[in-house]
Amino acid sequence: ETDQSERAWLLTWNPSKWESGGVGDSGHSLGLTVGEQVDWRCSSKQPEVGDSVYLIRTGVDPKGIIAKGSVTRGSFTKPAVDDPTKEQSNISVQFEEIRESCADGLIPLVLLKTAMPEQQWSPQSSGISIQSDYCKTLGDLWDTGTDKSSLRQFVDWTSNDEIYSKPQWFKEYTQYMERVRRFLNNEQKLDESLLNLIWKPAANGVANVSPGPLSNNDYEASKEALMTLTEMIKVNPDYDTYQKIYAEFEKLKQAGSVRQIYKSVINRVFAGLHPEKFTTIVSIDKCKKLLKSLNKEFQLHSELADDWYYANLALKKCMAEADLDASQLLQNNIAMWQVYACLYESGSDSDSAVNEPVADYETHQSQREDSMVALNQILYGPPGTGKTHNTVDRALEILDPQFLHNVKSEEADDKQARGHLKQRFDELKKEGRIHFVTFHQSFSYEDFVEGLRANTVDGAISYSVESGIFKNACIAADHDKSKKLDAFDSAVTALVDLCDQSGGRLKLTTVRGKPFSIEYTGGDTFKVFPDSTKDENPNYVASIPNAKKLYLTGSKKGIYNQSYVEGFLLFLKRELGLPEFQDREVKTSGGDPVVLIIDEINRGNISSIFGELITLIEPSKRAGAEEALSVTLPYSKEPFQVPSNLYLIGTMNTADRSLALMDTALRRRFDFVEMMPDVDLLAGVEVKGIDIQRMLEVMNKRIEVLYDREHTLGHAFFMPLKEEGGEKERFILLQNIFTNKILPLLEEYFFEDWAKIRLVLGDANKPNEHQFITENGNDYSAEALFGKNADPGYDIEERKSYARNGKALSYSEAYIGIYDY
């Protein structure tokens, strides 16, 4: 068993490089035997004897971990294989087990990325460390993968993982099949309730066909025919029946009973009545894409099909070939969707809602439509009203409304519910669906949108454009552009690997055919060595961000070392398959929504930070809208639009700045959602006889009279008192809240006008020992303080001084006296 604390290293092997001196042969075989000791490139000098190593195959399919071994000799240098004049860093390793095929237990790349998403699995060099938190996970995957196909490994892992197992889906799928099984066994007749379940809902436990379920009118008009069709599918789900069902729907359409042929619904009925023959994927396009991936990345052998029926038979053939556990039929069907989702869901093909069932979908959808979420909104209110806390719910309301609905309705424990919501929030953040930033006085346009960054390599300075948080969020929302940038990043990674395989340097040419070499030096730059100079340190660099800028815009303006950057990009296109970038004039963002949360939005200089983009965030000016606008960004010179599926959620503390003083341009483009203190949340909270709800209510009424409602005290300050705990511990907590939160805040609100603070705290109505702020007696005169000839300008005897009374914090009567007088 792998020790979680052990150190492990990831070595890379690209079998396509064997001709240039790499390991392997023309058949892409590693050509090593178990127990054989071999020297391997390793960029890190940290590996020590006994450390674990894992070998990942890159460059050719199937990609994944193919061998495990251990270090037998630490870092040393030796001549490079392809150029003996150069030295490269190596370690000696001994491989204990080798699995070169998916049938032997290769750990597939998709499983590595899914199970350990924070680890780099397409490293830019050989010999990076495995994150310590993942050492045990990777060891377990390797150990349990013995004699298992790669697909079986993936299915077993997702079926047992608490997130990817989809327990709610499996529960609904099982309940559906229990009802259907009685019908299939002739124990129950096909009544209207069952017919409705099989044909009508957008989600019924098998799959979600939204936005294509039967309309109410079509269902009612064709109900009798659907009874007959269901019986046909029940008795004989062969291809002839499949074609007949489509033919019957065509007749219904011609007769005016239905408006369209509901392909996904028909496919779902077959899948729901016969799970042994069909998976839960009801889209032909997705089935075909999944089949290609199973053949390519899992080495399974199945012919591609042009219709859904035979595509599902092919999927089932692959599942059988992978030796999936036949007793886990429903889990296996769900797992096929999980394979698809993990391969394609993160890109522009993302539409997990098309297949994944959602409980009470129609009810929830109607609720969602009744309260459409604004594209731009700001939560504003006094301190402690839960604005930042509430952004979690707001983001989930946009990104995963059904999950939010389920947790809110099913979890009675608020703390437990909050834990589940925050966990889902963090998952979406890791997926790039949620971005978070806090504004402050020095935050700028360059931080938010884009700016120039200086890079220095061996004394050579280059400048590149760095995207800010807002631009990155827009790219994540614009799946088409995001996918193309992923292709660029993948091509650069392949280039780094190619340089590594070539001994560090790789030969390129400029557009005019002038040769030069590049060497990856880490970070965002490649060092350039023109053949025209013999200088071993010519101080030329090719910046990856500049190459990306040239790729996106075609403009060379502002790019340093243009000819080398252009040659760099030309190589990516010609040799590494980077497609041409064609930006759309009008983008229609049809992908998953993305949320950008801007905390403390009023603390930044809005006009300066947003710049010209303040206009583009308007819904009517977003990409795809009738009045869509685009701008050319000042640094990258890229044409830029704000996607229609990017949601902005800001928070604003009204104690810092009144809403009336907000930038007018910002106020006009955002929906403002007031969040005031909610004392009802503190109902029933009592500490040593102190009614916390009543106490806060009275203090806030006094603050409204003495100052304004924007400077009241939030309920969140006192929410920790709701947690379970002893009376003594909770009273100590209340003292800390007053000492560190309430009293300093009141001092700030009233600019140390102690008389008003005493009014808020009701100190005038309490005995001295219970007063939080006490009046000091006047035992001095002007003459005693300043001399008999000095005149301070006012009657010194009339002046009062004040002091904080720390002892009052330990008396429960001091708090009760705030409202009970």
Side-chain angles (χ1 to χ4, degrees), residues 752-755 758 773-776 800-804:
E752 298 191 2
D753 185 339
W754 299 104
R758 278 173 53 82
I773 308 296
T774 58
E775 291 182 349
N776 293 329
K800 297 179 181 179
S801 65
Y802 301 87
R804 284 178 63 167

Side-chain angles (χ1 to χ4, degrees), residues 761 766 769-772 808-809 811-818:
L761 297 172
K766 309 174 196 171
E769 63 268 23
H770 297 159
Q771 295 177 9
F772 294 107
L809 294 165
Y811 294 109
S812 60
E813 294 83 357
Y815 304 92
I816 296 172
I818 293 175

